[in-house]
Amino acid sequence: MQTIIYDYSPDFPGCGVLADLPDGEGVFFDTFEAFQMFVDDEFPGSELVPLFAEGENEYF
């Protein structure tokens, strides 16, 4: 199974999503929905792992 680590905060949806893909490429998406659609198309079955735990606020 491939793992994709991503940085996204639902508290700040306008900030987009930064993700590290299994091929080593770092990519940015404007929305979480665009990120999910890309992952479903390009890396089906991948495990999505958030960079920070839910409720942890890395920006403060």
Side-chain angles (χ1 to χ4, degrees):
M1 176 185 298
Q2 296 177 320
T3 301
I4 298 175
I5 299 171
Y6 68 95
D7 184 11
Y8 173 75
S9 175
D11 294 333
F12 303 99
C15 292
V17 180
L18 183 61
D20 290 326
L21 302 178
D23 62 6
E25 183 180 1
V27 292
F28 177 81
F29 298 88
D30 290 329
T31 66
F32 192 78
E33 292 77 16
F35 167 61
Q36 285 183 312
M37 288 190 310
F38 175 82
V39 169
D40 290 345
D41 289 343
E42 300 292 326
F43 300 97
S46 293
E47 178 184 11
L48 298 179
V49 178
L51 183 60
F52 296 95
E54 187 175 332
E56 184 179 85
N57 195 335
E58 69 277 12
Y59 299 109
F60 291 103

